[in-house]
Each structure stands twice: as C-alpha cells, then as structure tokens.
Amino acid sequence: DRERIASAIDTNGMSHQITIQGTYPGGRQAAKLMASYDAIVVPSQGIEGVPLVLFEAMALGVPALCTDVGAIRDVCVDNEDFILCKPDIESMAQGIDLLYYRVLMQVIDHD
C-alpha cells in the first residue's frame, strides 16, 4: 500500500508534513526513533489484544490516538497521553484534530 498512501499524501498536499520512513528498526534504534515522534496514530480496525507500539509509546511519553477495539481501551483508560476514538473516519478525524491540538499545546508550553 506504500504507493497508494504516498499518492494520497501528495494529492492532499501534505508531503511537507508527512513522510513515509519505511521498515521500522529494532532494539535501541526503535526506541530512539519512537522518542523522536510528536505523536502516533494506531488505527486498529479488527479485534486484537494490545499492540506493542502502545506500550512503547507509553514508556517514552509519546501521545497516541487509538481506536476502541479489542483490549486497547485497557491501556488508554486513565492515560492522559492517549486519546481513544471509535474506529470510523469521522471519529478518527476528530481524534487526530484533538491529538494535533494537544501536541501543539505541549510545544507552546515548552517555549
């Protein structure tokens, strides 16, 4: 899906904001990369347990938008860094707006 996603990024004029990085590294490189993120989006659609990336984000204090499927709710409840939304386009769009606002407010607070 890389080409389809890249095309959507270009079509929507977001190539200056979104980059596709490729395969995720392992070990210390993975932690270093995750720590450099402003936020993550975990758009799970099907029933699953808890994606490991949520625990990694939590350990590094990286805010996240997550869909309310499977056991993901258990990680998000009472975690002010995580936003939980329904797994549909409208809810995710609202969640991304809220996540963007929270990250922006953190940047302003640090300046």
Side-chain angles (χ1 to χ4, degrees):
D1 290 334
R2 183 184 179 104
E3 288 179 26
R4 185 177 61 83
I5 293 168
S7 176
I9 291 168
D10 289 339
T11 299
N12 290 293
M14 300 185 77
S15 57
H16 64 285
Q17 295 172 307
I18 300 172
T19 57
I20 299 174
Q21 298 294 327
T23 305
Y24 206 77
R28 290 183 186 197
Q29 289 295 80
K32 184 177 178 180
L33 181 60
M34 172 73 75
S36 74
Y37 294 164
D38 293 320
I40 63 168
V41 175
V42 183
S44 299
Q45 296 295 307
I47 302 238
E48 63 178 291
V50 179
L52 181 58
V53 70
L54 292 182
F55 292 116
E56 294 167 339
M58 187 185 307
L60 295 166
V62 175
L65 171 67
C66 310
T67 50
D68 189 4
V69 299
I72 293 173
R73 168 179 288 280
D74 297 334
V75 175
C76 295
V77 171
D78 298 326
N79 186 329
E80 63 186 38
D81 290 331
F82 286 9
I83 298 168
L84 191 65
C85 69
K86 294 178 184 175
D88 61 63
I89 296 292
E90 293 82 21
S91 297
M92 290 180 65
Q94 290 172 354
I96 289 171
D97 284 345
L98 179 57
L99 182 63
Y100 177 79
Y101 175 78
R102 285 187 184 178
V103 169
L104 184 60
M105 290 297 101
Q106 286 179 351
V107 170
I108 290 171
D109 286 345
H110 284 106
D111 286 344

